[in-house]
Amino acid sequence: MAWAVLMVTILVMVTISIHPYTARKIGFIGLTLFCLSCLSAFAQSTYINVISTPYDRQMARVRPILVSHAGHKEQNFSIALVNHWIGDLRAIPYGFSMDWKTPEEVQASAFADCKGKAVALYNTMHSRGAQNVRLVIGKRLPTSRKTHAWLEWNTAAGTYILDPTINWSACRAERFGGWSYIPFYAYAGGQKFRATTASALYAKNQFSAGQRVASRL
């Protein structure tokens, strides 16, 4: 974001130096600054607590896993260990399931989809004492027709996107900016959250315009 602002600032300065203060240039500057402010807003992630979500009924099979008590915090809980678990799940061939599979069903099955793999990774991390892990439902891209499930992990080093369906390792959240991994809802323990980011609201509205939100995961 800072690099983009610097490049645009240089471009604006050069443009003004060639033909200073024309109406078109002033309009161009205003539009550029507005777009940059939108990009900044889209990159911010915020969650608010909610009582229910559109996915509650279909997630009933895995709710006990999400609300189970965390295990003792491991002393050597590292990114390398998390990447090992992600790799094991990523190696399972993708196959869509109407039901939310439990971690035991994912391990015993010949295939699994994004929601099954995300729940399995959540269970592995949570049972070993990982803190600040959320199961997230949203969209991989604003143009995606289907919803997607992944984990967000907040650490002292920053926030990581954990997606054992697509990626082989943990990825820093800032790598994706505000236009990828767009959250709609999140779950952590017994808590439920709704995303209030500008990008989430935009993608959710676009998605809801064509079909029911909870029908495509």
Side-chain angles (χ1 to χ4, degrees):
M1 181 63 188
W3 177 253
V5 172
L6 176 61
M7 293 302 295
V8 170
T9 302
I10 294 174
L11 178 61
V12 169
M13 292 176 64
V14 171
T15 303
I16 292 178
S17 67
I18 296 175
H19 295 290
Y21 307 115
T22 65
R24 178 176 296 181
K25 297 303 182 298
I26 294 174
F28 170 75
I29 295 170
L31 179 61
T32 300
L33 294 176
F34 173 77
C35 291
L36 285 174
S37 65
C38 290
L39 286 174
S40 177
F42 269 65
Q44 298 172 0
S45 297
T46 304
Y47 291 98
I48 60 173
N49 285 90
V50 294
I51 298 175
S52 63
T53 77
Y55 298 94
D56 290 351
R57 178 175 296 180
Q58 59 178 279
M59 292 178 67
R61 298 182 75 246
V62 298
R63 287 298 296 171
I65 298 166
L66 299 179
V67 301
S68 62
H69 294 293
H72 297 293
K73 187 174 181 179
E74 291 193 356
Q75 297 297 319
N76 298 317
F77 207 95
S78 64
I79 293 294
L81 183 60
V82 173
N83 287 342
H84 173 72
W85 295 329
I86 292 175
D88 286 345
L89 289 167
R90 177 64 177 81
I92 299 175
Y94 178 86
F96 177 76
S97 172
M98 290 294 295
D99 297 324
W100 284 71
K101 291 184 177 181
T102 65
E104 292 77 14
E105 290 171 333
V106 169
Q107 295 297 335
S109 178
F111 61 88
D113 59 14
C114 62
K115 55 187 182 287
K117 294 186 178 187
V119 170
L121 182 59
Y122 180 96
N123 181 64
T124 298
M125 296 181 65
H126 193 65
S127 64
R128 288 165 171 78
Q131 304 295 313
N132 303 315
V133 180
R134 288 189 293 259
L135 171 68
V136 182
I137 296 174
K139 295 183 72 174
R140 177 70 175 81
L141 297 169
T143 55
S144 300
R145 294 183 59 83
K146 297 181 179 181
T147 48
H148 187 52
W150 67 91
L151 302 186
E152 287 184 4
W153 182 29
N154 292 333
T155 73
T159 300
Y160 288 88
I161 299 294
L162 314 179
D163 184 356
T165 304
I166 296 176
N167 304 322
W168 288 93
S169 61
C171 301
R172 295 292 292 265
E174 58 264 28
R175 167 183 170 184
F176 301 105
W179 287 97
S180 186
Y181 289 102
I182 304 166
F184 291 168
Y185 299 97
Y187 310 83
Q191 295 183 300
K192 304 172 186 179
F193 306 91
R194 178 170 59 87
T196 60
T197 60
S199 55
L201 293 175
Y202 172 80
K204 186 173 183 293
N205 290 337
Q206 292 295 103
F207 183 77
S208 300
Q211 55 193 297
R212 294 182 60 187
V213 171
S215 64
R216 299 293 293 176
L217 185 68

